[in-house]
Structures are given as structure tokens and as C-alpha cells.
Amino acid sequence: MEMFASFDDSVFLEARDRVPVTLSAYDAKVCEPEWFCETSALHTEDPLEKQKIYKFRGDLAVRRGRHQEALDAYSSCQEWIADNNLTIRRDVLEGMARCCTKLGQRDRALDFANLLSKEVSNTCHLTSLLLLKVSIYQHFGAVGSKMAALQRLCSLLPFNPWHWHSLGQTCLQLLGDNTTGSCFPERCDSSEEQNDGGSEEEQPNDNRIWLKACTCFIRTRLLLRILRQQQSSFVLQRTETTLRMTDEALQRLSPKETTLQALTEVLSEDLIPDKMREDYQDGDSLANVCVQSFRERWWNKSLLADGLDAPC
């Protein structure tokens, strides 16, 4: 059997007219550590270089905990970002929002977050934006708005157990503070309320919050039990730790066995291995995010499950 019978002989001939290419000399640019901090670094007319210098200065200041210095550097960086460089623009806006959060400037932080929301074009952008909002709300104790943002995250990424666990912990916090009569000083964020189909947390009901907490922790437990089958090392350790915390939370909530079974059945309906693959989930389109509010998709399912009686 002639393995190479189908190849033309010319394939194996040497090229006769091959023109030799001479590479020009190339001198790599050598930069000293923190070269962008030098005053002389700004003695350039190149807008891209100035953008890089201010961006690097801001990032370094954040790493050192100098948030006002970082905010000033990011503000200067904005002036030199090209209109078509959306990636750097988003990165800088997020950095400014986080700096304002650390500096206690809640309204400015939310304003920068809202600027980011105008440039959301895919689910990755929306995920980053919601995580940013969660961190802002958490820093300022705005539990209601934080809960709304987490609900949108769970709608966007329904198979992510960490978002469900965070939402459950927020429900516990809200439930605990309601029983002590605490209130939360927070700026009302109408965008979160609209995306969540209204703000039910304005007039909290302990029984409903209790049911939401049970729902979140049961969903967390279902997802983590599936994930740990394919995990090892420190990733598995994190999962096991979160599972223990989830079980402890459910023990404190003390749902009846009928409630536990009914919720488990309802919350596991969509846990089909093929649907849980990453390549199955849409990462480019936002069309599926706003089809149903979180309340319609999850809370109402829990309410309609048989035998759900919150403890007195």
C-alpha cells in the first residue's frame, strides 16, 4: 500500500525562487520598575502612552490602598481613552466606582455604576456590573438593593451556587434585622426595582423572607452537590465548606420536612446535566435575562409548592 500516492511530487521539491527575508534590527523597550510614576513619563504627545501611564498609576494606588490618589489618576486617564476603546473605559469606570465606595462616596459610586450600565452589551458585562453593585450596596448596608442585584445575578446565572448562597445570606441578614426593628439607610435605586419587578423589601414580611432564605439555601445545596462530583483539591474544600454553612443555615431556619421536600422538588426541575454545561448558557445575548422577573421564576414557584408553612 502506497501511503503517499495521492501527493503530487512537486510538494516535496525545494523552492527555486524563494526570496530571502532579512529581519530588521529590533530593540526591545526596557522599562524600570514603576517607570510610569516618574514625572518625565508624561513628557509624551502620544495619547495612548498617557492613557497607559494614568491607568497604571491608578492600579498601583488601588493596590496600595490610596483610593483618592487612584481616583484622581483614573479621572485623568479618562481624558485620554479613545472613543472606541470600550474595554479600558469600562475598566476605569469600575475602578472609579470602587474607589468612591472605599472613600464613602455612595452616590458617586452608584453614578459611575450607572454609566457602566449604559454600555452593557452582553451577559459578561452585566455580570460584572451586578457584582460591582453588590459590593457597593454591601459596603453601605443597603440590604434591599443588594438583594435585588443578587436576584438579577441568579436569574442571569441560575446554575451558579455562590450567588444563590450570597442571596440566602442576605435574606438571613434581612430577616434578622427585621426582627430587631432595624432599618437600612440606602439610596433607592429604581433600576434594580424595575429589573426585579418591584421592591417587595419596602414592606418586609418575615414569613416571605424566611421562605426566600429556605429557597436560596436549598438551591445552593442542590447545585453544590452536583458540582463537587467533578471537583478536587482546594476547589472541593471550598465547596464542602459552603455546603456545611448551607446545612447550618437550613437547620437554623428549621423548615418542616414537607416544606423541604416540596422546595427540593421544585428547585431541581431545571437541573439537567446538558443544560448546566457552560457552553449551553448564553454568554452574548441579554434577551433571556428580562423574559421573566426573578419573582415569577423562583419566588412564586416556592409559594405554589405544596405544604409551605413558615414557622411562627
Side-chain angles (χ1 to χ4, degrees), residues 99-280:
C99 287
C100 288
T101 301
K102 293 292 186 180
L103 293 170
Q105 301 172 11
R106 177 182 58 183
D107 290 348
R108 285 194 71 191
L110 289 174
D111 287 340
F112 286 127
N114 289 333
L115 284 176
L116 272 173
S117 66
K118 296 178 181 179
E119 298 183 2
V120 169
S121 60
N122 56 53
T123 54
C124 292
H125 289 172
L126 183 55
T127 300
S128 298
L129 173 64
L130 291 172
L131 288 172
L132 171 63
K133 285 190 171 185
V134 167
S135 67
I136 295 173
Y137 297 140
Q138 180 173 336
H139 184 86
F140 292 106
V143 181
S145 295
K146 176 187 174 184
M147 188 168 178
L150 282 169
Q151 288 175 178
R152 293 186 66 197
L153 269 173
C154 290
S155 292
L156 186 65
L157 302 169
F159 303 127
N160 186 308
W162 316 112
H163 299 328
W164 283 101
H165 186 261
S166 296
L167 182 56
Q169 292 287 355
T170 305
C171 289
L172 284 183
Q173 183 181 354
L174 190 60
L175 184 62
D177 283 310
N178 286 341
T179 58
T180 58
S182 299
C183 60
F184 305 100
E186 56 182 281
R187 178 178 114 174
C188 178
D189 194 332
S190 59
S191 64
E192 295 299 343
E193 293 180 9
Q194 292 170 2
N195 282 287
D196 187 43
S199 179
E200 187 175 297
E201 281 66 45
E202 292 178 1
Q203 297 178 338
N205 179 292
D206 286 353
N207 287 345
R208 285 181 174 268
I209 297 173
W210 173 88
L211 178 60
K212 291 178 179 182
C214 291
T215 299
C216 292
F217 287 121
I218 291 172
R219 177 75 175 182
T220 300
R221 185 166 65 181
L222 288 168
L223 290 168
L224 288 177
R225 286 177 174 175
I226 294 173
L227 286 178
R228 70 176 177 180
Q229 298 175 8
Q230 48 191 323
Q231 293 176 336
S232 61
S233 187
F234 64 92
V235 179
L236 179 60
Q237 289 180 347
R238 181 193 180 193
T239 296
E240 295 290 355
T241 300
T242 308
L243 268 173
R244 285 196 297 272
M245 295 171 62
T246 300
D247 289 336
E248 291 171 0
L250 284 171
Q251 287 178 6
R252 292 198 301 272
L253 292 167
S254 301
K256 293 180 180 179
E257 189 62 31
T258 53
T259 300
L260 195 60
Q261 291 178 357
L263 281 176
T264 301
E265 182 178 350
V266 168
L267 295 170
S268 60
E269 289 176 351
D270 65 329
L271 300 184
I272 303 171
D274 288 342
K275 285 189 175 183
M276 295 181 66
R277 293 203 313 266
E278 290 185 5
D279 55 353
Y280 181 88

Side-chain angles (χ1 to χ4, degrees), residues 48 51-52 80-92 119:
L48 181 58
Q51 171 216 291
K52 290 179 181 179
W80 302 100
I81 300 176
D83 293 337
N84 61 347
N85 198 342
L86 299 181
T87 301
I88 294 297
R89 186 180 304 280
R90 289 184 57 81
D91 196 22
V92 169
E119 298 183 2

